[in-house]
Amino acid sequence: MQNTAPVPTTTAVTASKMQPFNNSLFGSFDDPLLNARAAQVALADIDVKNVPQLTNPLMRPHDMFSYSNYFSGIHDTSAATNIYQGLPSSSEPFDASVVVPTSSEDQMTPLQQVMAMQTYGAPPPFQYNMSHMTQHFTTSSISSSSNIARYPIAPPTSELETDPRQLETFAEHFKQRRIKLGVTQADVGKALAHLKMPGVGSLSQSTICRFESLTLSHNNMVALKPILHSWLEKAEEAMKQKDTIGDINGILPNTDKKRKRTSIAAPEKRELEQFFKQQPRPSGERIASIADRLDLKKNVVRVWFCNQRQKQKRDFRSQFRARSAAAVMGPRVLPVVVGNGSSSLKQEQGSYNALPGFFD
DNA sequence: ATGCATGAGCC
DNA sequence: GCTCATGCATA
C-alpha cells in the first residue's frame, strides 16, 4: 500500500546507458591474445577457489569473489604489503600525444595532458557504457563461456596479475599515488577514456572507488588493473615533467568550485518528521507547501522524504535479516509487499536473493 | 563510500 | 530469475 510508484529520481540513467558505443573499436579484436586472456582469467577464477580462507560463510565457491571478504580475514602483512612488484608489463605501449583529443595537445606537458583528460569539458569521443562493450565483446570475439574477459586488452602475462595479494597491493599503491597526484577518483574515471586503449571507455567514480577498496569481483579487478595501471604510468610520468617545469597553474584539478551542501536545521527537521508521520509519501503539491512553509527548496524537501522512506526500508530489512538469522531452521517467511508490485517488489526479492545460502 | 537501479547474457 | 559490471545520486 505504501509502495506506490517509486520516485523517478534517476531518469538520466537511461539516457546515459543508451549512449551508442563505438563498434569500430572492436573491429580488430579477433586476435588470439584475447582468447588467451579469457582462458587465463578463467584460470584466475579457479585459483580463487583455492584461496585458503574464504571467511564469509555466505559465500560459496561459485559465488562472486569479493576482495573485501577475502582480505578481511587475512592480514598476512608480510605477503600483502611487502612489495609492490612493479606491475608486469600489462599496460600497452601508449602514445601520450593522443591522450587528449584537442588540437593543443602538442603544446601540453604530459601532466597537462593527463589532467586535461579530466578537466576538458568536451565529452570524450570514446566514452560509452562499459556494459555495452561487454555484450559486444563477449558475443563477438570471445567464447561467451562466462562474463569474464571484459576488456579486449592484453592477457595477464602471469598468475602474478591475477593473484589476489598482488591486486590488493596494486590497489593500495594506486590509491596512494592517485592521492599524491592530487587526482580524484572521478578524474581518473574520466581520464581512462582518453587513454584510448581499445575497448576502454570512461568509468565512474564509484567503480574507481570500488577498485581501490577491493569491493569488486576478482574478475573485475583483474580486468581493470592493467587499465588503471596504464593511467597511473601516464600520470606519474606527467608529474615528473611537472616537477621539472614547475608549471602547474590551471593544470591540477580545480578545487575551488565546490558545491554547497544543504543542511537542514534541527527545528525544520523536527517538523519534517512530523509531516512524515502523517504522510510519508506526500504529493508534489504537498511537498511544495511544506517547502514553502519551512523555507526550503522543494527539491530539498522531496529528497528528504525519499531518504526518510529509504531509511525505514533499510531498518526493516536489517531487522528481518536478524530475525531470520536467529531462526535459521524456521519456516521462511517473506515480507509481504503490497503495492503495485513493480520495481520495488523486484528489488526486495533481489535483495534477499543477494544473500546466497543465508536461509538454506 | 554506498544503496539502489539497470540491462545484457545465461540457465 | 539470476549473475555481473557498472552508474547515479546521495550520505
Side-chain angles (χ1 to χ4, degrees):
Chain A
M1 68 223 111
Q2 309 278 32
N3 289 300
T4 54
V7 180
T9 53
T10 58
T11 44
V13 172
T14 308
S16 140
K17 293 203 180 217
M18 302 252 262
Q19 269 183 71
F21 114 121
N22 192 332
N23 263 312
S24 67
L25 285 176
F26 299 89
S28 57
F29 295 134
D30 47 0
D31 106 317
L33 273 185
L34 300 181
N35 297 309
R37 174 176 176 79
Q40 198 139 9
V41 177
L43 279 179
D45 206 26
I46 293 166
D47 288 340
V48 162
K49 294 166 187 166
N50 295 327
V51 162
Q53 302 159 45
L54 272 177
T55 55
N56 186 337
L58 300 181
M59 291 184 62
R60 296 174 296 192
H62 63 274
D63 288 331
M64 184 173 79
F65 181 79
S66 153
Y67 279 85
S68 49
N69 284 317
Y70 175 48
F71 288 109
S72 65
I74 294 184
H75 284 294
D76 178 1
T77 47
S78 61
T81 53
N82 205 343
I83 8 173
Y84 161 60
Q85 318 225 344
L87 298 146
S89 48
S90 54
S91 68
E92 331 249 87
F94 183 84
D95 180 2
S97 69
V98 297
V99 165
V100 180
T102 68
S103 54
S104 60
E105 63 199 33
D106 293 326
Q107 302 116 333
M108 294 201 292
T109 67
L111 181 60
Q112 284 174 314
Q113 291 176 354
V114 170
M115 300 316 296
M117 299 178 218
Q118 306 135 17
T119 55
Y120 280 23
F126 295 106
Q127 183 167 2
Y128 52 81
N129 185 284
M130 284 301 215
S131 57
H132 288 171
M133 180 194 73
T134 297
Q135 307 144 216
H136 287 264
F137 185 74
T138 52
T139 56
S140 60
S141 303
I142 286 202
S143 66
S144 51
S145 60
S146 71
N147 288 321
I148 292 175
R150 296 275 160 180
Y151 305 96
I153 52 183
T157 53
S158 73
E159 70 277 5
L160 268 187
E161 296 183 57
T162 61
D163 173 18
R165 270 170 260 266
Q166 288 288 325
L167 288 164
E168 183 206 26
T169 306
F170 173 73
E172 282 174 6
H173 173 82
F174 179 86
K175 181 173 188 174
Q176 287 176 196
R177 295 310 305 159
R178 175 184 63 75
I179 291 170
K180 280 274 189 202
L181 292 166
V183 181
T184 68
Q185 293 168 336
D187 289 335
V188 173
K190 286 182 204 163
L192 296 182
H194 299 273
L195 291 173
K196 292 187 180 176
M197 294 170 78
V200 176
S202 65
L203 288 175
S204 68
Q205 174 263 334
S206 305
T207 300
I208 305 302
C209 173
R210 286 165 179 151
F211 181 88
E212 291 180 351
S213 59
L214 307 164
T215 48
L216 294 172
S217 72
H218 176 261
N219 288 329
N220 208 355
M221 291 292 295
V222 169
L224 258 29
K225 177 185 159 185
I227 296 167
L228 295 178
H229 178 216
S230 179
W231 174 82
L232 185 56
E233 280 187 332
K234 294 294 144 207
E236 299 276 25
E237 189 183 324
M239 188 52 88
K240 282 184 201 161
Q241 300 267 338
K242 180 218 80 176
D243 291 342
T244 305
I245 299 171
D247 170 26
I248 64 172
N249 290 330
I251 296 173
L252 290 174
N254 196 359
T255 51
D256 51 26
K257 51 171 182 179
K258 286 171 189 168
R259 187 178 63 178
K260 280 185 184 173
R261 177 177 165 174
T262 306
S263 97
I264 303 174
E268 283 73 29
K269 213 171 281 185
R270 262 180 262 124
E271 281 216 58
L272 283 170
E273 281 158 6
Q274 284 307 118
F275 285 126
F276 188 82
K277 279 181 192 168
Q278 297 170 211
Q279 170 58 281
R281 310 185 73 92
S283 67
E285 284 192 5
R286 180 68 175 147
I287 288 176
S289 85
I290 292 173
D292 189 52
R293 172 157 160 185
L294 300 182
D295 194 26
L296 292 170
K297 286 180 191 166
K298 185 182 172 185
N299 197 50
V300 169
V301 174
R302 184 187 62 76
V303 167
W304 185 88
F305 273 90
C306 286
N307 291 336
Q308 203 65 15
R309 288 193 294 268
Q310 237 174 31
K311 191 175 160 189
Q312 283 205 335
K313 279 192 192 171
R314 270 202 309 274
D315 291 349
F316 172 74
R317 280 204 289 261
S318 54
Q319 285 174 19
F320 177 74
R321 280 199 289 268
R323 256 182 272 127
S324 298
V328 184
M329 303 311 287
R332 176 171 176 175
V333 179
L334 288 172
V336 178
V337 179
V338 187
N340 62 9
S342 66
S343 64
S344 67
L345 177 56
K346 274 173 70 182
Q347 185 55 37
E348 302 294 345
Q349 293 172 334
S351 295
Y352 293 114
N353 288 334
L355 296 172
F358 194 79
F359 296 99
D360 293 349

